[in-house]
Amino acid sequence: MNEGIYGNIVRGWSPDLLSRFPEDRFMFVESTGSTNDDLLKRIREGKTAHLDLIQADHQTKGRGRRGDKWEAPAGANLLFSIALRLPEDRSIWTRLPHLTAFVLGEVVESIFPGGKLIEAKWPNDLLVGGKKLAGILVETTLVPEPFAVVGIGLNVNMQTSDLPIELQDIATSVYECLGCESSRSFLLGLIVQGFIKHFPERLSDFDPVLDWIERRSYLKGKTIAVTTSSEKLTGVGRGLGPGGELLLEVSPEEVKAVISAEKIEIC
Ligand code: BTN
């Protein structure tokens, strides 16, 4: 089964690309707790190399940011985690979630007709029509060496009518956007190619990522309430700072740079 899925992921790849993502980098599990947990464990046990990837059809303890759950119907969406060896310069590590949104967003837009753009909601949600299409959870470990585990949940073939009623208005999928099913393996192959192409160089040469996100910014120009660990701020979204921080105009004289937030509400 593994070979079949791997073969579909790398179909048509050049020998150079294949050498960067050989078959032993790829693991598929039908069901697991969380692919992020599995990959973090493997890294800490010294069993992982750059671009190791675990894909699951189903997760029983899928995790989102801020301790949220990430739930998805079995066999419909892309649920995977990829290991990236972090560069020495720690000051650019915080850019990785934004780079991931860029890589993922470019892939999704490449299969949308008519140049349709997705929306990028800070810090790194991808939306279509204000509904969530994908979530990104980046976690790091320093042991035995600095690695990031980039966990991605991309709603591919899920039909929102199958979701609990309370989620139907806030989630969408590639299926809902295109009206037909897509090959998860083909999309995964494009995403892996995106990481091979852009990581780690784009973390230093970050302006194209900022420009890409700015053009799709969901919060820009909107009045929003941002709850951080220490305060609640209300202001108008003014795009991103150089490290990917949210710029919030809290008064005509003051723009604050928000590095992380627990909650963001549109007012
Ligand atoms: C979010 O939007 O809060 C982030 C969701 C990230 C979900 C993915 S699914 C694959 C990987 N394994 C997890 O447990 N979480 C991430």
Side-chain angles (χ1 to χ4, degrees):
M1 178 136 196
N2 229 356
E3 259 176 39
I5 296 174
Y6 174 78
N8 286 334
I9 292 170
V10 300
R11 182 165 297 149
W13 283 26
S14 66
D16 176 51
L17 280 173
L18 281 174
S19 70
R20 310 248 218 137
F21 185 63
E23 188 164 357
D24 61 2
R25 295 273 85 87
F26 177 70
M27 279 152 281
F28 174 82
V29 283
E30 266 170 27
S31 183
T32 187
S34 153
T35 55
N36 264 42
D37 290 345
D38 294 348
L39 201 49
L40 279 167
K41 182 164 175 276
R42 285 182 65 87
I43 293 172
R44 290 184 181 128
E45 290 169 352
K47 289 184 188 159
T48 294
H50 183 61
L51 294 182
D52 271 5
L53 191 152
I54 303 181
Q55 181 191 0
D57 251 355
H58 180 244
Q59 297 182 120
T60 53
K61 289 183 189 152
R63 296 189 288 109
R65 290 194 314 274
R66 303 172 304 264
D68 290 349
K69 284 186 192 162
W70 184 263
E71 300 195 68
N77 295 339
L78 263 178
L79 307 167
F80 69 96
S81 303
I82 185 165
L84 302 176
R85 182 175 285 110
L86 286 164
E88 269 180 25
D89 180 0
R90 288 180 183 218
S91 69
I92 56 176
W93 289 4
T94 54
R95 295 176 175 178
L96 181 55
H98 306 291
L99 174 61
T100 302
F102 166 77
V103 165
L104 190 55
E106 278 207 321
V107 168
V108 172
E109 285 184 359
S110 74
I111 62 160
F112 277 177
K116 183 180 169 69
L117 296 188
I118 55 166
E119 296 133 25
K121 182 180 173 197
W122 187 89
N124 48 24
D125 286 344
L126 296 183
L127 315 180
V128 176
K131 298 180 178 185
K132 189 147 164 167
L133 179 75
I136 295 164
L137 176 67
V138 178
E139 299 179 296
T140 52
T141 177
L142 301 177
V143 182
E145 56 180 312
F147 260 99
V149 167
V150 175
I152 293 178
L154 172 63
N155 299 335
V156 181
N157 292 324
M158 173 180 95
Q159 299 191 24
T160 47
S161 55
D162 292 339
L163 292 175
I165 198 87
E166 67 276 12
L167 294 180
Q168 292 187 9
D169 277 348
I170 56 172
T172 191
S173 67
V174 176
Y175 177 90
E176 297 293 342
C177 297
L178 298 184
C180 62
E181 294 207 346
S182 303
S183 160
R184 291 181 293 158
S185 298
F186 174 71
L187 289 171
L188 182 53
L190 292 179
I191 296 165
V192 174
Q193 285 185 57
F195 281 115
I196 291 173
K197 182 172 170 197
H198 294 295
F199 184 89
E201 293 75 14
R202 274 270 167 266
L203 289 179
S204 317
D205 178 18
F206 196 55
D207 281 353
V209 176
L210 288 176
D211 290 348
W212 187 93
I213 293 175
E214 286 275 0
R215 271 184 278 124
R216 291 155 180 82
S217 174
Y218 181 71
L219 297 178
K220 200 169 179 176
K222 291 194 169 100
T223 301
I224 49 183
V226 180
T227 309
T228 72
S229 53
S230 56
E231 57 187 337
K232 185 167 180 176
L233 301 165
T234 302
V236 178
R238 290 292 179 222
L240 299 184
E245 56 278 19
L246 174 70
L247 300 180
L248 189 68
E249 186 182 296
V250 290
S251 76
E253 299 80 38
E254 191 182 7
V255 175
K256 289 201 171 193
V258 181
I259 292 165
S260 71
E262 282 162 14
K263 198 165 160 194
I264 296 183
E265 295 154 292
I266 313 277
C267 301

